[in-house]
Amino acid sequence: MAINEGAEILSEFSKTVDTIRGRLPAKLHTPLIGIVCGSGLSGLAASIRDKVEIPYDEIPGFGRSTVAGHGNALAFGLLGRDGIPVVAMLGRFHPYEGHPMSTVVYPIRTFALLGVKNIIITNAAGSLNPKIPVGTIVTIQDHLALPNLTGHLNPLLGPVLPAPFDTRFQPISTAYSFSLRKIAFRAAHELQFPRSALTEGIYAWVSGPTYESPAEGRFLRNQGADVVGMSTIPEVVAAKHAGMEVLVLSLVTNMVVIPDKYRSAREEVDAEIAGIPLPPVIEEEVTHSEVLEVGLAKGDDMRKLVEKIIELLG
Ligand SMILES: O=P(O)(O)O[C@H]1O[C@H](CO)[C@@H](O)[C@H]1O
């Protein structure tokens, strides 16, 4: 590995930043807040004013999202009463699409170099906790990242990047900003959301693109996770490494752990032989369309929450 590889990577980013700023009026050159829209949640950017959208394929270094419910542009503009400059990713890159980790986190590093200080990362997630139903928004307080621990998908693998990026051995014990998490709950209170609409919990990151088997869901639940998804954590790690304050909001779109979900083939055959009538069993499978439908139905709550958080931050 060349000794100056990190510096070379940084010079690629300066092309990206120059291209972006070349497309924006001066008042949008330095967004203070970054937003990442999860599956079905690109409506979060709906109330951005004086909006300028830049397609990903016109930005050097950016990939292209191939997932339904993800747009392919950055939206810059002003949000909230005080007109705070923001930038939103209308869709994200997931490792399961085949993107290298450097591409997955490229927009996050670009945000940092543009001046973003606070980032609000959203996603759609499955619930592992029977007490957290579909439609709940979860403020993430910590994570369980099996792909990071096994060493294959940590976004910090590779050369050390020069400043403003942090060291190689990045602590992430404080990655989920406590003050931003408090602001999220204050915002929900001001919006008069019912108490159950926003809760807190732990996100388990899996690589996907398969959804979890029931046993995998129970495994993650037994390890203390509340929701599960296939994104977000690489972005959190890269954002923390770039010095940003991070808030993650997960929208629960489906239940993964459903108690008593297992059918026993042996018991059913025994019952049939004994002539005991059995109740009909409906076997359920989660689909991405269902995930997107919940995003559509509840996306407006998420949008209001994000806007109120930004207002309180300003
Ligand atoms: O995390 P986001 O991008 O919101 O999307 C979630 O929805 C998809 C599965 O339906 C997966 O990509 C999962 O991570």
Side-chain angles (χ1 to χ4, degrees), residues 38-39 70 92 94 96 123-124 211 230-231 288 291:
S39 284
H70 286 262
R92 61 154 57 92
H94 305 82
Y96 65 72
N123 60 57
Y211 292 108
M230 310 171 194
S231 71
H288 188 56
V291 168

Side-chain angles (χ1 to χ4, degrees), residues 37-243:
C37 302
S39 284
L41 294 170
S42 45
L44 288 180
S47 353
I48 295 180
R49 303 190 300 279
D50 298 350
K51 199 189 289 175
V52 178
E53 285 193 15
I54 310 180
Y56 291 162
D57 57 13
E58 295 172 18
I59 307 176
F62 271 52
R64 186 172 176 78
S65 180
T66 58
V67 184
H70 286 262
N72 271 295
L74 289 182
F76 288 82
L78 306 174
L79 247 186
R81 253 188 340 226
D82 303 328
I84 298 171
V86 300
V87 53
M89 285 182 77
L90 301 184
R92 61 154 57 92
F93 313 129
H94 305 82
Y96 65 72
E97 296 175 72
H99 297 296
M101 290 306 278
S102 55
T103 303
V104 171
V105 298
Y106 197 92
I108 307 300
R109 291 179 168 154
T110 303
F111 279 13
L113 295 170
L114 285 167
V116 169
K117 301 283 178 258
N118 295 289
I119 186 165
I120 303 175
I121 302 176
T122 68
N123 60 57
S127 175
L128 302 164
N129 182 343
K131 292 194 177 134
I132 304 183
V134 169
T136 312
I137 298 175
V138 184
T139 304
I140 300 303
Q141 62 191 45
D142 200 352
H143 71 226
L144 191 62
L146 298 179
N148 268 0
L149 293 176
T150 55
H152 291 97
L153 287 175
N154 193 309
L156 301 191
L157 291 171
V160 174
L161 295 176
F165 300 99
D166 205 353
T167 74
R168 163 158 278 151
F169 300 107
Q170 176 63 48
I172 49 165
S173 49
T174 58
Y176 299 90
S177 161
F178 191 66
S179 60
L180 289 185
R181 283 156 51 201
K182 280 178 70 178
I183 289 175
F185 283 101
R186 199 161 281 284
H189 174 73
E190 289 199 10
L191 289 165
Q192 299 185 323
F193 278 11
R195 204 178 152 75
S196 59
L198 184 70
T199 185
E200 48 194 344
I202 295 174
Y203 182 99
W205 175 40
V206 294
S207 81
T210 41
Y211 292 108
E212 298 65 44
S213 71
E216 287 164 347
R218 279 203 308 275
F219 166 78
L220 295 171
R221 177 69 193 140
N222 288 338
Q223 303 316 307
D226 297 288
V227 291
V228 56
M230 310 171 194
S231 71
T232 299
I233 303 312
E235 298 157 7
V236 169
V237 171
K240 168 77 174 145
H241 185 241

